Structure formats: structure tokens, C-alpha cells
Amino acid sequence: MVSTLKTRMRVMGLLMLLIPLVIFVRLFYMQTFLHEEFSSKAERAIYNYLAEDRIRGKILDINGRSLAESVRTHSCGISKRYVQDKNKTVDFLAQTLDIPKKQILEKWKQNTPFFFVAKKIKPDNYIKIAEILRTPLGQGLELTPEYERIHPYDKSALDLLGAANSKNLGLSGLEQMYNSELSQDISKKRAKHARRGAIIYDRNLKEELSVGNLYLTIDEVAQYHAEKALYKAVEEVGAERGVALVQEPASGKILAAASYPVVDGQSLAFQFTYEPGSTFKTIAIAAALDAGSASITDAVDMEGRQWEVAKGFIVKDNQHKKDFLSIPEIMQLSSNIGAGKIALDLGAKNLFYYIKAFGFGSKTDINFNGESKGSVAMYTKWTKVDTVTKGYGYGIAVTPIQLINAYSAIANGGVLMQPHLIDRIEYANKKIEKRAKPIKIRRVLKTDTAVTMTKVLQSVVENGSGKRAQIKGYNVAGKTGTAEKLSKEGGYGKRSHVVSFCGFVPATKPQFTILVILDNPAKYTFGGTAAAPVFKEIAQPLLARKGVKPDQLDFD
């Protein structure tokens, strides 16, 4: 009996020692091997990771003027469980934010612990709410930082810039194309709720900004003058669409690209296709002079101003009564017969070669969404009529950027340059990407040919259809265009047309190439009367601003 009692006492003693030992071992295991897991659980019980929009990079012009940027705003929300007095809190918000009390209460009824009362509140309202956050009335209220995209120059260049939404996502235009460079992933910052619902961020967590600022080649001053002159002309003639482009011929940089109507992310300068009409005569005649199939001293027979190219297809010149025209006169009077004959003598294969060499029928790689490549059929499919009509700008579809780049090649001594819209991307760490440098694509014309064509184009402005593009003190080289458009019924309609002017100034040392297009004007007009004056209106302030010296020797 005594032995049994001693045994029981030993067992009880061992158990009493074993239980603390088990507890100790368990605690040691939890603290040593499960430390991270329990720390994480404890942290999650205290902290939340709150999503916060990061600031989006700016889009700026070539001189650093901000065209699109983000400004900090706040949204006001309610964590219902922290609110001390529902009625007083709702009354305060309704009065401060000018929101119906009923609207706030309807959101309150939703089965969610948190809801937003208002987004992007005004600065003065933010101050009023922030002041009461640490009072009983402000318990449960939260002010969440956000960013709103603004455009300091209103709708200027909006067709290029495009749009970005409240979630920091680019939706169209350059905002969409360069979304990854302009934005970062939504930041999730560690924070905890204080006793009264206030948010306290963990200051020990540092973030590195990798957002970039996008610099365009666009000069906002040039853009302003292009838009102003274009919109005025569109209104005067009642055009459906309009384009005004300004390019620096030596570098290929696009200084202005205006469209009408303005639709964010849709630039007619790169997406619009049309038959150019007489502005394309420059290309055909330059090609013939360069290939040697035509000479500047040639006299072209006008065939009595009615030329039957093929049975049933007659080309007419009604604007003059001359039997023979020189090449400068063909351009000055915009003779379809003259341009057509020169194209035919050059031949389909050679004409096709020069058209492609100038960049038509291919995208320019200006790097803008939706850029069109136009349309140039293979020369093997051309008829005699096709070759003739292409000589004066029909039977071919071009884009504004292609045409201005071709004229810039002539201004640049016959060298075609890569057009640029993006100058560079600068990051917070001073890293710079995609810097635009002058890139020579190819030589299209001999230098002598380019010089000759410049003189021919200069004569068009001095003595021909481009007189209204004249600028006092400066030699201007350019060509007008008035192209009839295909009607829905078939054939070309007299009352549906595109008027244009493309040229460069000063002719002796070109600084600006400018293209103006007015599509389908309600008022019947011509390239020389409607588009050429717009060229002048854009060019004059740009010449003055850049301090370009007059190049007319007899200027006074």
C-alpha cells in the first residue's frame, strides 16, 4: 500500500514537472520557428495596406512647358464603425461638400464598412474636413490622396496628348502609348487606423519614384499659332476637317500638329488620308528633273489645252490659254496636262520608285497610334491613265505627315529625315531615354535638283497660285492644291474637294516647313485663296520669335 502511494506521488511529481516543460518547449518552438508567422498575423491585425495612386509623369513641350500634369486631390470616405455620431457627421459632410444628406445615407445603408462620400474634393473643403479629423465629429472620416490630370493650355494639342483616367491609366493618344513610362503601379502603403479612424502611414517605408516625364518636339507657341490660324480658316470656309503641321526640315522635328475637330488621341496629321492633288506635282516634277527625263528649260506642248490620254479620258487646262509651258509655268499655273505629260515621260516604274523613296505608301514611324501608311498601288498595275493622274496627285492616298516630310526633304537639300514627335523621356534619377536625334533616312534627290525645285516652288509663290503665302522680307517656296474628292455616286464631285498649301521659309535657308489642309469646305474655294494665307499666318510669328533674318535682298 505504501509502495503504491509512493509510486503515485512520483507520477504526480513527474506530471507537474512535465507540464511546464511541455509549455516551455511549445513557447520556445513558437517563438523560434513560428516567429515570422505570428509577427505577420499581429502586424495584419494592426496594419492595413492601403492603395494610393502615385503621381503621373508630365507631358511637356520641347521647352519644358507643361501640356499635361497631375495635381494632388483628395477623396473623402467614411469608416462606419469609428463614427461616434452618425447624424452629426452626415450633416457636416452634406453641408461642407454640398451633397444631399439623403445621398450620403443611401450609401451608408450599403453592406460595406467603408464608402467614399465624394471624390476629388475642393481644396477649401479638404481644409474644413482635415481640421475636424481629431475631434469627435471627425472620427471615422478619411481623406485619401489621389491625382487629377489637368491641361494647363486647355485643349491645345489634346488630339496628340490623349486622356488618362482617375486610375492613372492612359486611355488614348500619347497618354496610352507611353503609359508605362508616365506611370507606376498603384502604391500600397502600410498604414494603421488610429483609435478615431485616422490613417497613420508607416514612415519607415521609403519608395523610389521611377516615373518619367515625356518631352515632345512640339513647341507650344508654334502649336498655338497653328491651331489659332487653322480654326479661323475652318470657320471661314466651313470645312469639315482641317490640319496644320509645322516641321523643322533639318532635324525632322514636328513643332506643331493641329487638327480640327479636336478629339483626344486622334490626330488627323498622322491618321487622315486623302488624294493630295496639285501639291503632289512637286513630287512628280522633282522626280523627272532628278532622273533626267525632263529639263528646267523644256517647253511642254499643251495639246490645245485638251489632252486625250486614252479613249474617253481627257485632261483639260482651263486656267490659261498658252500652247506651251515651261516647268516653272506648269507649277505656277498648276497645269494638269503639263504634270501628267512629265509623269508619263518619266515612266511608271521610275515614278513609283521616287514616290516610295519620298516615303509615300509607308508609315513614317512617327510613333503615333493609328498612323496610316496611305496607299500606292504597285506600278505593274498602273495603266497609262494611272501614271498621268498620279503626276498631278490623283489615284494615290497620302497622309499629312508624309507630304510635309517630302517637302522638308526638298528644303533639306534632297535628304529625307526621320520625323520626330517625341524628343526625350526624363526620369527622376536623371536617366534620359529616347532622345530625338536627326536621322537621315535616305537621299531622295540630288542636291542640284533640290535647289532647282526650291526655285520653281519659289516662283509659284512669287508669280503663281501661291501669291497669298508671300511674307514681306522672306522668300517663300511652296505649292497650292485643290483636289476634287470622289463622290458617293462615283466620279469626282466639283462641290466636294480638299484645298491645301505646303511650303517652306525662308527659301534660301529653310527653318520651317508648313502644311495646311482644309477638307470639304462648304464654301467653294481654292488652295491659293484659302490655305496659302493660313501658311502666312502661322509662319510670320514663328519667324519673328526665332529671330530669322529676312532673306530678300531688296527688302526694305
Side-chain angles (χ1 to χ4, degrees), residues 171-218:
L171 302 177
S172 61
L174 297 173
E175 293 275 21
Q176 181 187 48
M177 293 178 62
Y178 291 90
N179 187 63
S180 60
E181 289 87 352
L182 290 167
S183 66
Q184 299 178 13
D185 295 332
I186 291 177
S187 170
K188 288 191 175 182
K189 291 185 177 180
R190 193 172 71 163
K192 66 180 180 180
H193 285 284
R195 186 178 178 184
R196 293 176 175 175
I199 299 173
I200 301 175
Y201 288 103
D202 186 349
R203 297 182 180 275
N204 293 323
L205 294 180
K206 294 183 179 180
E207 298 177 280
E208 290 186 6
L209 293 176
S210 61
V211 68
N213 290 327
L214 182 65
Y215 285 80
L216 309 184
T217 60
I218 296 294

Side-chain angles (χ1 to χ4, degrees), residues 346-384:
L346 174 62
K349 184 177 181 179
N350 286 333
L351 179 57
F352 177 81
Y353 166 80
Y354 277 97
I355 288 173
K356 295 294 287 184
F358 269 109
F360 298 102
S362 303
K363 291 183 179 180
T364 65
D365 291 331
I366 189 71
N367 204 14
F368 192 86
N369 278 343
E371 182 190 359
S372 174
K373 66 178 183 179
S375 178
V376 182
M378 190 66 185
Y379 73 91
T380 53
K381 298 179 180 180
W382 296 4
T383 64
K384 180 181 180 182

Side-chain angles (χ1 to χ4, degrees), residues 224-246:
Y224 166 78
H225 289 296
E227 289 177 347
K228 180 182 177 183
L230 178 67
Y231 299 164
K232 176 184 173 185
V234 164
E235 186 177 344
E236 286 177 351
V237 301
E240 287 183 10
R241 282 172 290 272
V243 178
L245 267 170
V246 181

Side-chain angles (χ1 to χ4, degrees), residues 238-271:
E240 287 183 10
R241 282 172 290 272
V243 178
L245 267 170
V246 181
Q247 185 177 32
E248 190 176 78
S251 68
K253 290 181 179 180
I254 300 300
L255 303 180
S259 298
Y260 176 89
V262 178
V263 180
D264 59 76
Q266 297 182 26
S267 177
L268 296 177
F270 315 121
Q271 298 168 334

